[in-house]
Amino acid sequence: MTGALFAQSLVLGVLLGGLYALLAAGLTLYFGVMRVVMIAHSAFLILAAYLAWYFHERTGVDPLLSLVVTVPLFFVVGYGMQRFLVSRLRPITLTTMSVLLTFAVALTIEGLLGFIWTGTQRRVQLGYSGTSIEVAGVSVAVVKLIAFGLAALSLAALYLILRRTSFGRALRATTQHPEAARLIGIDTDRVAGLGFGLGLATAAIGGTALALDYTIYPSLHWHWIGPLMAIIVVGGLGSIPGAAIAALLLGVAASLLQVPLGTTWAQTVFYLALFVTLMIRPQGFFGGRLAQRF
Amino acid sequence: MPNASSGTRPSGPTAAGPTTARVVRIGGLLALAAVVLLFPSLAPDPFILSVGVVILSYAVLATSWNLVGGFTGYISLGHAAYSGLGGYATALLILRSGLNPWLALLVGALIVALIAIPVGIASLRVRGASFVIVSIALVLILQLTFQSWHTFTGGSGGLRVPRPFGADVLRPEQHERFFYLHAVLLALALLTWWLIERSRLGAGLKAIREDEDKAQALGVPTFAYKLTALVTSAFFTALGGGLYALWFGYLDPIFQFSILVGTYMVLMSLLGGVRSLFGPLLGAVVVGYAVEVFKSQYGDTQFHLVATGVLLGLVVLFMPDGVIPAITSFLNRRRRAASIREVSAEELARQREEATR
């Protein structure tokens, strides 16, 4: 591999890793506040991508503007999903049953997308779709930079919300010890609902970023759920910094392996990492206090 | 501790109930066997017969799934990995090493059982969540591999499986023979479930399902038990997949390694009831029939996905124990439940809560 090619793959890997980090943060939020393995996250991602595409198709305006609608919409849907569906599950079997429930939601979304917009592959065509910036021999597509920028901004916002607001403190308390949180007067049900909404809002942003750069089709979410699940296990279930580090490392690894192995085989690095993690360190390599028991 | 839960059924000498219950159960079993045996001669046309084969195949897969899902409560969404591997192993053993088809089926299933060991070691060390994630990942990675590895698996073009019976056996006769073969395999899977349920292994597995920490504290070798259940389940699932491949005659990685097939197994088992022997079979008849109808009616649209999704959601939310337990508990309440019944940790907690209120 030449130096230029290496640098190119590295940069692309970091950019992709950023997007992965944002989406894995969402998954980590659900697991943290509710012990819910949210399979439907990537289905909502594709739904947001479709909404962005449809918005652009109808109005001709930049798909990024659809965020104004989709982010609040997804937040409300996430809140409702937690309050009206997930919270109805019995506490003892919550983790495994939540998988089935969210999986059912994912299937329904995939089916509805296919039903409404057919299985045809869709792609957003923009003025800046083909343009790329070249810095020191590495050329990067503008859309990838925008996607990374969106991811970085949202992760920073997420960090600020979790660290600096009272809601963030309540959310972290609920994650760490729900009973103690209730004892000091935190309405954990409400917090869990809002946390769920926050997680789903990240899917709206991720999906819109995805629509800029990828060809989308209803069953695309399966290609995302595997790597994302692998990332949250490697990072230690429930740990947002762990997920972010794992996302960047694995994104870069997949990108570097893509040159000698090709796209398909490079994908297997996620599954390999998942398997190795569970064999060597089941609680995850980063953070991951919660994972041992779930 | 041994046999603590063998009073699962109202079979103890309690009231007048047991004898009638036994008669009902044996009668039901005989009726079931009669329906299965007579179905091929009653089926009006080969298509209906082939639907019968598909439903039996689903029943084999769901019953095999229940060997791990029902006993331990570990929900695998990726059992299609084992059925798909079973199909491919059988086909590749026939094609590449010229093995007798029936021997290939058995050897293939043994290979799959061996593969399930490292998978189990990796995924069963932590509780539920990681197990589900690995089960999904396994299907996705196998789909990638079998689609890309053209030289060995035939890639996305698929793989033609040689027919085990000579070319002179016509299609309807094929259906009939495979119908009975599937029925035999189903009977074997049900028998295995029944034997495990009565064994120390079964008691241990159920203890794990109710409270893994307490089971471990009581000295149940939880990891070894879970692994045994998973490997047994993978073995039967692979046999089911292999037999289906021999009947269908064609393998396509998209359909063999599909999360949807794994979902059907879960849905069937849950709908019928994961705690009962015949739950998955009942579920397979209902869901399998519905799936076939949906495919033939709305094959081109993605509507069958919506139907599956909504049905799964409803079952999970409102009937997580399944139809059979729901009916049984309803009948027991009517009869004022004279016998000792299996009580789950959840029900105990609820009773305790009501008592202290």
Side-chain angles (χ1 to χ4, degrees):
Chain A
M1 204 191 293
T2 63
L5 196 56
F6 180 79
Q8 177 86 48
S9 304
L10 197 65
V11 170
L12 289 181
V14 170
L15 292 184
L16 182 65
L19 191 55
Y20 275 130
L22 173 65
L23 298 171
L27 280 170
T28 306
L29 266 182
Y30 311 125
F31 195 83
V33 293
M34 278 298 290
R35 308 286 178 272
V36 164
V37 179
M38 169 76 165
I39 305 281
H41 191 71
S42 59
F44 277 106
L45 179 75
I46 307 302
L47 176 65
Y50 263 95
L51 290 176
W53 162 80
Y54 187 68
F55 174 77
H56 176 70
E57 198 81 346
R58 286 278 128 176
T59 62
V61 186
D62 194 297
L64 285 177
L65 275 175
S66 67
L67 284 173
V68 179
V69 182
T70 51
V71 170
L73 179 73
F74 274 44
F75 183 84
V76 172
V77 170
Y79 182 81
M81 201 172 145
Q82 199 279 325
R83 294 311 289 271
F84 299 113
L85 292 179
V86 177
S87 64
R88 276 168 197 266
L89 296 172
R90 303 169 186 170
I92 287 184
T93 50
L94 178 67
T95 305
T96 41
M97 281 306 180
S98 73
V99 178
L100 292 181
L101 187 65
T102 56
F103 185 85
V105 173
L107 277 182
T108 312
I109 292 175
E110 185 190 336
L112 285 176
L113 284 179
F115 197 59
I116 298 169
W117 285 304
T118 74
T120 314
Q121 305 201 337
R122 310 284 181 183
R123 181 145 197 144
V124 177
Q125 289 300 336
L126 290 166
Y128 51 86
S129 278
T131 47
S132 52
I133 300 173
E134 196 169 317
V135 183
V138 176
S139 82
V140 179
V142 171
V143 283
K144 286 205 194 314
L145 276 177
I146 295 176
F148 183 78
L150 274 180
L153 272 178
S154 342
L155 271 174
L158 204 57
Y159 180 84
L160 286 178
I161 291 172
L162 287 176
R163 290 278 149 185
R164 294 290 151 84
T165 64
S166 59
F167 161 68
R169 273 191 292 279
L171 191 69
R172 282 186 293 137
T174 308
T175 304
Q176 281 165 11
H177 203 310
E179 275 169 43
R182 266 195 295 279
L183 279 176
I184 57 163
I186 293 172
D187 184 350
T188 50
D189 289 338
R190 192 172 149 271
V191 167
L194 293 175
F196 223 88
L198 201 58
L200 209 58
T202 66
I205 299 169
T208 310
L210 188 79
L212 295 177
D213 196 23
Y214 287 83
T215 302
I216 51 175
Y217 47 91
S219 62
L220 180 63
H221 69 112
W222 295 118
H223 293 264
W224 282 81
I225 198 68
L228 288 176
M229 288 291 166
I231 285 167
I232 62 167
V233 171
V234 174
L237 284 168
S239 156
I240 289 184
I245 297 170
L248 279 175
L249 286 180
L250 290 177
V252 169
S255 183
L256 289 179
L257 285 173
Q258 202 162 325
V259 180
L261 296 179
T263 321
T264 311
W265 293 110
Q267 277 288 91
T268 54
V269 72
F270 290 103
Y271 304 111
L272 209 64
L274 167 67
F275 205 72
V276 168
T277 304
L278 288 175
M279 280 286 197
I280 299 173
R281 226 178 116 79
Q283 68 272 38
F285 278 104
F286 313 98
R289 235 170 348 86
L290 288 165
Q292 189 77 65
R293 289 181 50 81
F294 295 94
Chain B
M1 168 61 203
N3 287 331
S5 61
S6 58
T8 52
R9 303 242 153 67
S11 57
T14 34
T19 42
T20 44
R22 179 166 292 170
V23 168
V24 167
R25 200 172 317 124
I26 291 173
L29 209 56
L30 287 176
L32 182 71
V35 167
V36 170
L37 285 176
L38 287 176
F39 182 77
S41 46
L42 292 177
D45 59 64
F47 173 71
I48 298 294
L49 189 52
S50 76
V51 172
V53 180
V54 172
I55 288 177
L56 274 191
S57 169
Y58 275 134
V60 170
L61 295 180
T63 306
S64 311
W65 180 92
N66 205 30
L67 284 169
V68 59
F71 281 131
T72 64
Y74 278 63
I75 304 282
S76 159
L77 271 170
H79 253 51
Y82 304 118
S83 62
L85 276 178
Y88 266 101
T90 308
L92 289 172
L93 281 170
I94 301 172
L95 288 170
R96 306 258 182 253
S97 58
L99 222 58
N100 171 291
W102 308 112
L103 198 60
L105 178 65
L106 190 66
V107 174
L110 285 172
I111 294 173
V112 175
L114 282 179
I115 294 174
I117 294 175
V119 174
I121 290 176
S123 60
L124 287 168
R125 282 172 58 183
V126 273
R127 303 289 159 82
S130 298
F131 180 74
V132 185
I133 292 173
V134 169
S135 75
I136 295 172
L138 192 63
V139 178
L140 294 174
I141 194 176
L142 285 173
Q143 196 189 74
L144 274 182
T145 311
F146 278 75
Q147 266 185 309
S148 313
W149 199 0
H150 288 275
T151 46
F152 188 63
T153 65
S156 42
L159 188 68
R160 195 157 285 286
V161 188
R163 291 165 78 178
F165 301 118
D168 53 318
V169 180
L170 296 171
R171 206 68 185 142
E173 290 175 48
Q174 288 259 16
H175 290 335
E176 193 173 331
R177 290 188 187 186
F178 273 100
F179 184 87
Y180 286 124
L181 283 169
H182 274 101
V184 169
L185 184 56
L186 176 62
L188 280 176
L190 289 170
L191 182 68
T192 309
W193 200 96
W194 188 78
L195 287 174
I196 291 181
E197 210 221 354
R198 261 134 220 275
S199 69
R200 193 184 175 86
L201 173 65
L205 290 173
K206 281 186 274 185
I208 292 170
R209 179 183 68 200
E210 297 308 335
D211 193 329
E212 191 158 349
D213 285 326
K214 281 193 189 115
Q216 202 161 14
L218 287 169
V220 176
T222 49
F223 183 69
Y225 275 22
K226 286 188 288 186
L227 194 60
T228 310
L230 176 68
V231 171
T232 316
S233 168
F235 176 73
F236 276 101
T237 312
L239 280 179
L243 194 58
Y244 184 83
L246 286 176
W247 171 64
F248 198 69
Y250 182 74
L251 295 170
D252 182 332
I254 294 270
F255 295 111
Q256 289 303 306
F257 300 106
S258 138
I259 302 267
L260 203 56
V261 172
T263 317
Y264 288 150
M265 295 186 215
V266 181
L267 179 56
M268 288 163 184
S269 304
L270 277 188
L271 185 77
V274 290
R275 278 152 202 254
S276 50
L277 175 56
F278 292 107
L281 170 58
L282 176 73
V285 173
V286 175
V287 177
Y289 182 75
V291 165
E292 290 304 302
V293 167
F294 261 117
K295 272 188 193 157
S296 61
Q297 300 279 317
Y298 313 99
D300 289 336
T301 68
Q302 297 292 306
F303 203 68
H304 64 280
L305 289 179
V306 180
T308 310
V310 170
L311 187 58
L312 181 64
L314 290 177
V315 169
V316 168
L317 280 176
F318 300 110
M319 254 192 330
D321 288 332
V323 174
I324 292 182
I327 293 172
T328 322
S329 77
F330 177 72
L331 288 179
N332 275 345
R333 228 174 296 146
R334 297 269 310 259
R335 282 190 314 187
R336 301 226 133 253
S339 55
I340 301 167
R341 204 167 58 78
E342 191 169 339
V343 180
S344 71
E346 258 168 69
E347 286 168 322
L348 271 178
R350 209 181 309 134
Q351 281 170 14
R352 218 172 290 142
E353 200 175 292
E354 275 164 14
T356 52
R357 201 168 272 165

